[in-house]
Amino acid sequence: MRTQVAIIGGGPAGLLLSQLLHLEGIDNVVLERRSRAYVEGRIRAGVLEPGTVELLTRAGVAERMRREALYHDGIHLAFDGRSTRIDFKALTGTGVTVYGQTSITEDLNEARTAAIGKLVFEAEDVALHDFNGPHPSVTYRRDGVTHELACDFIAGCDGSHGVSRASVPERAIRIFEREVPFGWLGVLSETPPVADELIYAHHERGFALCSMRSKTRSRYYVQCPLTDSLEAWPDARFWDELKRRIPKEDGARLITGPSVEKSIAPLRSFVAEPMQFERLFLAGDAAHIVPPTGAKGLNLACADAGALAAAFAAHYRGDDSGLDTYSERCLKRVWRAVRFSWWYTALTHRFDDDPFGARLQQAEFEMIATSRAAATTLAENYVGIFPGAA
Ligand SMILES: Cc1cc2nc3c(=O)[nH]c(=O)nc-3n(C[C@H](O)[C@H](O)[C@H](O)COP(=O)(O)OP(=O)(O)OC[C@H]3O[C@@H](n4cnc5c(N)ncnc54)[C@H](O)[C@@H]3O)c2cc1C
């Protein structure tokens, strides 16, 4: 088999890249290790920057999003029970769109399956070959048969534990990493959200986030020790803890119900540099991870896919400048998002045995609540306005 771009991983980055390339007339094949049902069932992100919405619109997969998504002009930021609203629209001229990653993946899969054979699920033992020369290829096994896919380029969109980044010699890659000493316990419930907009709450018992996927589906999180197990968190304990951490008036309105999904996720910052190795290009979580506090992971993955699609399109028109600068341009945006996600996590979470840090958090919250400049900085970063970054 032969294609122009072999894409490893059928998450948001891989699927969006595939669709954008298809629209440019560039042949590509997506190799995904899991089944379609598994990929579509993963509950993850849900807040989209305007740039991501624009990309999905350009990719021709925005019809359902336009019908079903919620549009938020701001967020509520609560500090020890006191709430302040950050009005994104007033401060930046734009807001964010709330639409689940599961729905985005379904929409992209729907569009891509029209191109039969270009989306291979349950591709086992994917291996990358010769990406440092002019004739790269990828091998994989499907139903016990080994296939070889020759290509011009390989796009590694296979998340943080994928094979693409792991195939790069250690000496060619530099890793920047910082761990967070706690996790997020997340619950999805078929209940109406407690508020029209997201509530980020700092509390002495730990951070809490009230998010949503639709007007009838809520996504809630509480900060928890990474050593906790799900068994330690029956629904009743989760709801009780969430209620204690959010402002009283919100807690009084909270409608609880059985959880339909519950998981504990670690939080960390991770960047691999560069994002290009000759004919292998990394995109999305394969190259970088951020704590979910700033809602940047999915948005970065889509931005990389958009930049890479445009660079491939330019290459096939005879201009390699996009490919040559891909890594440098993406990393500018990535580091802006890494910085914001780290700062926002440090502001809103509880860190043990750090009374000095707790006072700094309080002072910072006061600054955001009373200074338009400070609130604007938060708002610009949240909606994804990163001047100077691609
Ligand atoms: C539990 C959790 C919660 C999250 N919550 C949020 C949030 O609230 N907000 C936010 O912005 N972000 C969140 N994120 C991050 C966000 O979901 C990711 O940034 C986003 O999924 C990145 O997309 P991607 O396509 O780069 O990677 P992925 O979505 O990880 O997709 C990679 C794909 O590659 C496939 N793959 C892996 N290895 C191989 C292989 N060897 N061969 C073939 N295929 C392979 C995987 O099966 C997967 O389908 C969360 C992530 C997790 C794990």
Side-chain angles (χ1 to χ4, degrees):
M1 276 204 295
R2 195 185 151 77
T3 189
Q4 288 172 293
V5 182
I7 300 173
I8 304 177
L15 289 173
L16 179 57
L17 175 62
S18 171
Q19 174 68 1
L20 291 169
L21 291 179
H22 168 72
L23 295 177
E24 291 281 353
I26 298 169
D27 191 64
N28 67 88
V29 174
V30 179
L31 302 174
E32 165 58 49
R33 185 174 56 177
R34 303 286 197 163
S35 68
R36 178 171 175 173
Y38 181 93
V39 173
E40 289 183 354
R42 273 191 306 226
I43 309 292
R44 288 184 169 183
V47 176
L48 308 184
E49 297 170 357
T52 304
V53 171
E54 195 188 307
L55 260 178
L56 293 167
T57 305
R58 216 186 311 148
V61 292
E63 201 189 309
R64 180 162 69 128
M65 180 170 66
R66 262 195 297 272
R67 271 197 324 270
E68 296 180 8
L70 306 172
Y71 186 78
H72 288 187
D73 282 346
I75 52 166
H76 300 280
L77 182 60
F79 203 88
D80 296 341
R82 219 182 102 211
S83 195
T84 186
R85 180 165 182 270
I86 311 295
D87 189 334
F88 296 156
K89 190 74 184 244
L91 295 167
T92 71
T94 187
V96 291
T97 299
V98 174
Y99 189 63
Q101 180 167 333
T102 45
S103 305
I104 293 176
T105 313
E106 278 168 17
D107 297 345
L108 283 164
N109 268 331
E110 202 60 46
R112 293 313 296 130
T113 37
I116 295 167
K118 302 296 185 191
L119 193 46
V120 182
F121 288 102
E122 297 174 61
E124 294 172 73
D125 298 336
V126 171
L128 292 71
H129 308 279
D130 304 325
F131 53 81
N132 52 355
H135 304 294
S137 67
V138 180
T139 51
Y140 64 97
R141 219 157 34 84
R142 178 85 167 74
D143 298 327
V145 180
T146 299
H147 301 266
E148 184 175 349
L149 182 61
C151 54
D152 299 336
F153 297 101
I154 301 174
C157 306
D158 46 351
S160 58
H161 305 293
V163 64
S164 301
R165 195 183 69 242
S167 303
V168 177
E170 251 176 60
R171 63 178 187 287
I173 201 161
R174 185 161 178 209
I175 303 293
F176 299 82
E177 193 167 18
R178 199 172 266 190
E179 303 266 334
V180 181
F182 41 71
W184 275 17
L185 168 66
V187 155
L188 186 73
S189 65
E190 300 292 351
T191 53
V194 64
D196 287 344
E197 294 173 336
L198 273 66
I199 303 171
Y200 287 83
H202 173 283
H203 191 271
E204 61 178 14
R205 295 179 65 85
F207 169 78
L209 169 60
C210 303
S211 183
M212 71 276 292
R213 292 295 176 265
S214 70
K215 290 198 161 148
T216 56
R217 214 163 206 230
S218 298
R219 183 73 167 151
Y220 295 110
Y221 300 93
V222 293
Q223 174 186 349
C224 72
L226 271 173
T227 45
D228 275 10
S229 66
L230 287 178
E231 290 73 50
W233 285 95
D235 287 358
R237 180 180 173 206
F238 177 84
W239 293 121
D240 182 50
E241 191 59 40
L242 179 67
K243 232 176 183 168
R244 292 166 83 158
R245 295 185 188 188
I246 59 179
K248 265 201 180 67
E249 57 280 16
D250 295 315
R253 269 201 314 267
L254 180 70
I255 297 174
T256 64
S259 60
V260 290
E261 197 266 352
K262 195 186 282 172
S263 52
I264 294 177
L267 274 64
R268 70 184 173 124
S269 299
F270 174 101
V271 183
E273 291 188 6
M275 290 170 61
Q276 179 200 355
F277 308 90
E278 306 287 343
R279 287 182 171 247
L280 166 63
F281 293 81
L282 300 181
D285 278 17
H288 41 73
I289 302 280
V290 285
T293 326
K296 290 285 166 245
L298 173 62
N299 290 295
L300 284 178
C302 291
D304 288 353
L308 193 49
F312 281 139
H315 164 81
Y316 287 110
R317 288 194 302 266
D319 172 8
D320 271 349
S321 59
L323 287 180
D324 292 343
T325 57
Y326 167 76
S327 175
E328 186 192 329
R329 286 181 296 123
C330 287
L331 283 168
K332 267 194 186 170
R333 167 173 285 268
V334 167
W335 276 107
R336 295 288 291 267
V338 169
R339 186 213 67 84
F340 172 65
S341 304
W342 187 264
W343 168 82
Y344 199 34
T345 304
L347 171 71
T348 50
H349 288 68
R350 187 202 134 85
F351 293 80
D352 288 338
D353 306 322
D354 188 12
F356 185 85
R359 286 289 187 276
L360 292 185
Q361 286 177 319
Q362 204 171 355
E364 191 130 29
F365 172 77
E366 295 294 340
M367 193 168 80
I368 293 164
T370 54
S371 155
R372 188 181 170 92
T376 304
T377 302
L378 194 169
E380 282 187 350
N381 281 273
Y382 197 96
V383 303
I385 299 174
F386 296 130

